[in-house]
C-alpha cells in the first residue's frame, strides 16, 4: 500500500495484484464449501439480486419460479441502476443482477440472455386520439415522461432519438416506472415504457398504450453473474431455473 506521512493513500499496483489473487482464492474456497453444503438437491441459502427498474415487472416471475423449485432459497430483489449492479457484483455486495448486456470488453461477468426489451408509448387517451401506431419522430414531438439519465434505459432511448436525428421533448423525469406512470396519469406527458410493464399494469382508465411503427427498437435483457469457476451452487440453481422453467419469451 502507499502511505504519505503515515496517511493511507490506497493500494499500489502490486497491492491490487495481491488483492485479486486473494479474491481468487476466496472464490475457490467458497465454491468448495458450497459444494459440500449443498451436495444434495435440498439447496438452501439467500440470493441478493440487483434489478434495473425496467425489469422489475418481469422479476416477479423469477421469485415465484425459484420458490417453487427451491423452497429453501430466499431471494431479495433490489432496485439498482445497471452501473450499480455491475459494481455490486464485482465487490460481492450482490450475487447477481437482471440488467442489460454488459460491455463486451468486461471479462469479469457472465451474461445469460433472457428476452428482448421492447417499448410502447403510454399516454392519456386524448394525447393519442389520432394515432393507431406511432413513429419515433411523432413521439419526439410529444411531451415525454422518461426515466432519468442515471438509467441505462434512458441513455439507450436518448441514443435512439439521436441516431434518428431527433430531439425529444422531455417534460418530466423519474427514477422508477411507477413514478413515470404516476406522472403520465397526472397529464404531464407520454411515457416510453417496456412492453412487460404495460402487460403488468393492464388497462387503466384514461390511458392508452400503443406500439411503435417504422423501426422497432429492442435491447437484450439477461442475468448477470460474476465469472467464477465453479459457479456457486445458488447462482447455478438460479441460472438453470431461468434457462429451463421461466417463459421469458412471452414477455
Amino acid at each position: 500500500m502507499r502511505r504519505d506521512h503515515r496517511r493511507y493513500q490506497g493500494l499500489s499496483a502490486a497491492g491490487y495484484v495481491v488483492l485479486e489473487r486473494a479474491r481468487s482464492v476466496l472464490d475457490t474456497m467458497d465454491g468448495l464449501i458450497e459444494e459440500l453444503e449443498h451436495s444434495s438437491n435440498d439447496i438452501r441459502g439467500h440470493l441478493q439480486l440487483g434489478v434495473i427498474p425496467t425489469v422489475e415487472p418481469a422479476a416477479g416471475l423469477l421469485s415465484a419460479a425459484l420458490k417453487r423449485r427451491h423452497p429453501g432459497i430466499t431471494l431479495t430483489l433490489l432496485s439498482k441502476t445497471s452501473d450499480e449492479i455491475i459494481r455490486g457484483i464485482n465487490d460481492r455486495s450482490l450475487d447477481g443482477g437482471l440488467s442489460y448486456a454488459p460491455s463486451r470488453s468486461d471479462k469479469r461477468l457472465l451474461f445469460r440472455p433472457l428476452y428482448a426489451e421492447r417499448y410502447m408509448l403510454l399516454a392519456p387517451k386524448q394525447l393519442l386520439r389520432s394515432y393507431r401506431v406511432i413513429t419515433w419522430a411523432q413521439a419526439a414531438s410529444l411531451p415525454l415522461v422518461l426515466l432519468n439519465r442515471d438509467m441505462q434505459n434512458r441513455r439507450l432511448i436518448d441514443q435512439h432519438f439521436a441516431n434518428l436525428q431527433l430531439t425529444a421533448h422531455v417534460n418530466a423525469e423519474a427514477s422508477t416506472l411507477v413514478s413515470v406512470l404516476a406522472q403520465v396519469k397526472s397529464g404531464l406527458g407520454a411515457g416510453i415504457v417496456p412492453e412487460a410493464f404495460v402487460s403488468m399494469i393492464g388497462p387503466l382508465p384514461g390511458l392508452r398504450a400503443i406500439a411503435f411503427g417504422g423501426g422497432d427498437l429492442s435491447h437484450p435483457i439477461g442475468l448477470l453473474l460474476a465469472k467464477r469457476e465453479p459457479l456457486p451452487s445458488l447462482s447455478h440453481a438460479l441460472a438453470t431455473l431461468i434457462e429451463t422453467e421461466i417463459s421469458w419469451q412471452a414477455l
Side-chain angles (χ1 to χ4, degrees):
M1 66 181 67
R2 299 192 300 269
R3 291 186 181 274
D4 180 15
H5 301 295
R6 296 185 179 180
R7 295 178 62 188
Y8 176 66
Q9 299 294 311
L11 291 174
S12 64
Y16 279 108
V17 171
V18 172
L19 178 61
E20 287 305 310
R21 288 178 180 173
R23 284 176 172 168
S24 178
V25 171
L26 287 173
D27 285 345
T28 302
M29 292 293 293
D30 287 346
L32 290 171
I33 292 170
E34 288 183 351
E35 284 185 14
L36 291 171
E37 291 179 344
H38 306 300
S39 57
S40 70
N41 292 327
D42 185 21
I43 302 175
R44 296 182 177 276
H46 182 76
L47 282 168
Q48 188 152 282
L49 299 184
V51 182
I52 58 173
T54 60
V55 183
E56 289 176 11
L61 289 173
L62 179 64
S63 298
L66 184 68
K67 206 64 181 174
R68 284 195 302 269
R69 182 176 287 190
H70 300 292
I73 298 179
T74 56
L75 179 65
T76 296
L77 301 175
L78 301 172
S79 183
K80 301 281 186 181
T81 67
S82 55
D83 291 337
E84 288 171 339
I85 288 173
I86 291 175
R87 285 197 299 270
I89 293 172
N90 289 331
D91 68 18
R92 298 180 174 226
S93 61
L94 293 174
D95 297 300
L98 297 176
S99 185
Y100 298 102
S103 167
R104 292 183 179 179
S105 62
D106 195 333
K107 305 300 183 183
R108 300 168 297 177
L109 298 170
L110 291 174
F111 180 71
R112 304 286 178 86
L114 303 172
Y115 68 96
E117 181 179 84
R118 292 183 172 83
Y119 308 96
M120 300 186 76
L121 193 78
L122 181 68
K125 288 182 178 179
Q126 64 270 21
L127 193 62
L128 302 180
R129 187 175 293 117
S130 60
Y131 299 106
R132 298 189 66 180
V133 296
I134 195 162
T135 67
W136 287 90
Q138 290 167 333
S141 68
L142 297 173
L144 294 177
V145 180
L146 302 177
L147 290 173
N148 63 47
R149 290 176 176 83
D150 290 336
M151 305 297 176
Q152 190 171 353
N153 168 271
R154 171 63 183 279
R155 297 194 293 268
L156 292 170
I157 289 174
D158 283 350
Q159 186 60 55
H160 189 63
F161 278 127
N163 291 343
L164 296 174
Q165 298 183 324
L166 298 170
T167 301
H169 175 199
V170 181
N171 204 33
E173 299 178 329
S175 61
T176 68
L177 288 176
V178 172
S179 295
V180 168
L181 174 61
Q183 294 188 81
V184 169
K185 287 187 68 176
S186 71
L188 284 176
I192 298 176
V193 298
E195 287 180 344
F197 182 67
V198 174
S199 298
M200 184 188 75
I201 62 175
L204 291 175
L207 296 184
R208 181 181 169 210
I210 60 174
F212 280 94
D216 193 17
L217 176 67
S218 66
H219 298 102
I221 293 291
L223 173 67
L224 286 176
L225 297 169
K227 187 177 288 185
R228 295 168 59 183
E229 193 63 42
L231 200 63
S233 58
L234 294 180
S235 298
H236 183 267
L238 178 62
T240 302
L241 171 76
I242 287 173
E243 292 170 357
T244 61
E245 183 168 329
I246 302 177
S247 180
W248 294 95
Q249 278 64 39
L251 297 175

